[in-house]
Amino acid sequence: MGVGVFPRRVAAEPESDRGQIFKPHRPDSVLLILVVVGVLALGLVLRFVCQSDLWADEVLSVNIAKLPLNRLGAALRHDGAPPLYYAGLHVWMRVFGAGNTAVRAFSGFAGAITLVPIYFVGRRLDQRRWARGSRDHSLIVAWSAVLLLALSPFAIRYSTEARMYALAMLLVTLGYLAVVRAFERPAPVRLVLVATVTGLLLYTHYWAFPLLGVVGVVVLAVAWRGTSERRRAAWFVLGALAAGGLTFIPWLTSFRFQLAHTGTPWGAPVSPFGSWATAFKSFGGNAHLAGWILVALVLFGLFAAAVDARHVEFDLATRPGVRLEAFVAFATLGVGLVVARLSGTTFEGRYASVAYPLFVVVAAFGVAAFSDARVRVGLLCVALILGAWGGISNAQRNRTQAYQLAPIIRDHAVAGDVVLFCPDAIGTDVVGRLPSEVQSVGFPNLDSPARIDWVDYARKVNDTRPVRFADRVLALAKDHTIWLVFTDNGTPADAQCAKIADVLTVHRPGRIRELEPDPYFFEHQGLYRYPASN
């Protein structure tokens, strides 16, 4: 949920041509309209088209969401996530089914809906330009925000993934509007909306905590130093944020348990500085340059203003317009990364979803930093072409090697063979493809990887003795083949798995490498076969 500069409502009604992006008398208006419609249509289609199989986290989401609602809480204590997305997916699957397309459509729907509020966020920023005397009365920021989000590889990726990140982006965008409207007039209905979105965000992803913390600090600053009218509104908004936070109390016991026992044991702690690049690169999806173009537009929105058609002036003290939007976006990432470092947890680019809509609207404001329409159109075209490239690549690219390795096991394994997933988290999307006659187990718990128990996972990994664990696998297999599914992400679990593989090789020296992990895939998995001893 973002905070603007809490502008007062523009007093005067705009001129008759204010707010128009297409001028009917211009000969290129029809072409522009067709381009906009085409971009929106492509963006919507790409939110519902994905040829990839579900990767492990998506399958895990589906397996948890299939449980009865009264069992979700217990399952999520062992998973480490809040419950809103899983409860929503549970209801969605009851209506639309549990096929790959159906379960991803839940996120696709959230991603498509987000295009509506992002327009109104951008429109408010356009009104802010008009109020400051801009002679450009178009809706350039509103439509730039819509188009950038429509063909954003980041937004498209998570609109086609059975995870909570598209829902988080929708809630953040709605939260921005709720907070700004509450500042304009802190009516009860508007304050209830702020509280509602606050609670929903906390129940969607825990990275909402740094976002809401930063928003709370900004609102508190307004309550402390603003005008009397702004202070009054700020205290009401603070109360609404606090009320939304109180809705988290029923989940607090589970959250404290997760905080103490789960975390992110599948990844190593990362540097806060290196993680900025990870976040910005992830904004481009499979087209990394698209992410850096977005960041460049963000910097233009924050620092640049047009002098004339050929000149742009930079102010290192930042330009008025989107200072607080940019501050909340950058500060959310910064605070989250510092907390992750201090708590020993990892960072993935997808966590930036709680700040991403703010980056998009600041980037859209950056498009308006140029007064020449040709430059604006050119910048947008570059960003949209790269975005389309990333979005189409997402639609065509498989995220997991499960479709390659499962047939190898299925075609050659016999009843009694053991399939060891090391670590177990890479087996969630494979185990359902295997015949029931084989024994599927995972490291470190030596049980089915259909759902992963993350409780004290790091301790279990560190306490495992590779020789002893390999002996247990050998005893389970007896005189049958052992299939080892492994990866090479460089985590502590992977290091233990490499040792287990070596121990198995000592006992089964005829090891055959059936499949090599391929980093082209988001989730890459290799396969060893240890034939039965004679």
Side-chain angles (χ1 to χ4, degrees):
M1 177 163 49
V3 189
V5 292
F6 315 127
R8 293 178 177 86
R9 187 181 297 277
V10 178
E13 287 296 320
E15 294 92 338
S16 59
D17 66 338
R18 180 175 284 180
Q20 294 183 13
I21 187 171
F22 307 117
K23 304 297 190 291
H25 58 274
R26 288 182 51 177
D28 58 353
S29 293
V30 173
L31 177 61
L32 287 173
I33 292 172
L34 291 176
V35 170
V36 169
V37 171
V39 168
L40 292 176
L42 179 60
L44 289 172
V45 169
L46 291 175
R47 279 163 169 76
F48 295 94
V49 175
C50 183
Q51 297 180 16
S52 173
D53 301 294
L54 299 179
W55 72 285
D57 278 12
E58 293 182 277
V59 176
L60 186 60
S61 294
V62 172
N63 289 348
I64 292 175
K66 283 179 178 178
L67 296 171
L69 287 175
N70 60 5
R71 292 178 56 192
L72 283 183
L76 290 171
R77 280 171 67 92
H78 293 261
D79 178 76
L84 180 63
Y85 171 79
Y86 298 90
L89 183 59
H90 174 93
V91 175
W92 182 272
M93 290 192 301
R94 292 288 298 270
V95 177
F96 298 103
N100 288 9
T101 301
V103 298
R104 283 176 169 156
F106 182 46
S107 294
F109 179 74
I113 291 296
T114 307
L115 296 174
V116 177
I118 203 76
Y119 169 84
F120 290 102
V121 173
R123 193 175 194 281
R124 286 178 172 273
L125 298 183
D126 278 313
Q127 290 173 338
R128 196 177 297 172
R129 292 189 304 113
W130 304 341
R132 288 193 168 92
S134 172
R135 289 177 294 178
D136 171 21
H137 296 157
S138 68
L139 285 171
I140 186 65
V141 178
W143 283 104
S144 294
V146 171
L147 297 178
L148 287 172
L149 188 65
L151 286 186
S152 160
F154 185 87
I156 290 171
R157 163 66 190 268
Y158 294 108
S159 294
T160 60
E161 186 160 297
R163 299 291 287 166
M164 68 286 295
Y165 306 107
L167 177 60
M169 286 185 268
L170 172 61
L171 292 172
V172 169
T173 310
L174 292 173
Y176 178 101
L177 292 173
V179 168
V180 174
R181 285 172 58 82
F183 260 93
E184 291 173 348
R185 184 166 61 87
V189 172
R190 298 185 178 192
L191 295 171
V192 168
L193 287 174
V194 172
T196 300
V197 176
T198 298
L200 293 176
L201 268 171
L202 291 173
Y203 277 101
T204 299
H205 201 281
Y206 292 140
W207 264 69
F209 280 103
L211 169 66
L212 294 170
V214 170
V215 171
V217 168
V218 172
V219 176
L220 185 60
V222 177
W224 186 258
R225 303 192 61 178
T227 64
S228 59
E229 179 185 353
R230 313 308 285 165
R231 289 201 302 268
R232 176 178 176 274
W235 286 116
F236 277 115
V237 173
L238 275 176
L241 291 170
L246 291 175
T247 64
F248 195 71
I249 289 178
W251 187 253
L252 197 56
T253 300
S254 294
F255 175 63
R256 291 176 62 185
F257 179 86
Q258 292 171 336
L259 203 61
H261 297 284
T262 56
T264 57
W266 41 264
V270 292
S271 163
F273 300 103
S275 297
W276 287 96
T278 298
F280 296 151
K281 188 170 69 173
S282 73
F283 291 168
N286 296 327
H288 294 163
L289 184 57
W292 294 111
I293 291 290
L294 184 79
V295 173
L297 288 174
V298 167
L299 296 179
F300 275 112
L302 189 55
F303 295 106
V307 176
D308 55 42
R310 297 180 60 186
H311 297 87
V312 173
E313 183 179 69
F314 284 84
D315 186 346
L316 295 181
T318 73
R319 292 285 186 179
V322 285
R323 284 172 176 166
L324 284 184
E325 284 83 357
F327 171 78
V328 172
F330 283 107
T332 296
L333 273 184
V335 171
L337 289 171
V338 169
V339 171
R341 182 65 176 180
L342 294 176
S343 61
T345 55
T346 194
F347 172 77
E348 293 286 344
R350 54 186 178 266
Y351 299 167
S353 57
V354 297
Y356 186 69
L358 297 176
F359 282 112
V360 170
V361 296
V362 176
F365 202 85
V367 175
F370 300 89
S371 62
D372 192 323
R374 292 168 299 181
V375 176
R376 292 176 174 178
V377 171
L379 284 172
L380 274 175
C381 284
V382 170
L384 295 177
I385 290 170
L386 289 172
W389 176 24
I392 293 171
S393 173
N394 174 78
Q396 298 175 331
R397 192 171 188 171
N398 210 315
R399 297 168 188 167
T400 172
Q401 283 188 266
Y403 80 99
Q404 293 180 341
L405 68 89
I408 298 174
I409 300 174
R410 200 167 49 237
D411 292 344
H412 298 93
V414 299
D417 283 2
V418 170
V419 182
L420 171 62
F421 297 95
C422 200
D424 50 6
I426 64 171
T428 308
D429 55 341
V430 181
V431 65
R433 300 165 173 261
L434 302 182
S436 59
E437 293 81 9
V438 302
Q439 306 174 75
S440 297
V441 296
F443 169 84
N445 296 313
L446 208 66
D447 55 13
S448 172
R451 292 211 304 269
I452 308 302
D453 185 359
W454 294 111
V455 172
D456 298 327
Y457 194 89
R459 179 185 58 79
K460 294 173 185 175
V461 168
N462 293 331
D463 290 349
T464 298
R465 298 294 178 263
V467 172
R468 186 175 302 174
F469 187 88
D471 287 342
R472 294 174 64 190
V473 174
L474 289 164
L476 185 64
K478 298 178 182 176
D479 58 350
H480 288 277
T481 297
I482 298 173
W483 303 83
L484 174 63
V485 181
F486 66 97
T487 189
D488 54 4
N489 290 319
T491 66
D494 294 342
Q496 290 283 64
C497 290
K499 296 175 183 177
I500 292 169
D502 290 340
V503 175
L504 291 175
T505 302
V506 171
H507 291 273
R508 301 277 186 93
R511 183 175 77 179
I512 301 170
R513 185 185 290 264
E514 296 282 0
L515 185 67
E516 188 76 20
D518 186 348
Y520 169 84
F521 296 90
F522 178 74
E523 182 180 59
H524 43 282
Q525 302 134 308
L527 179 64
Y528 287 139
R529 175 158 53 115
Y530 297 87
S533 54
N534 296 326

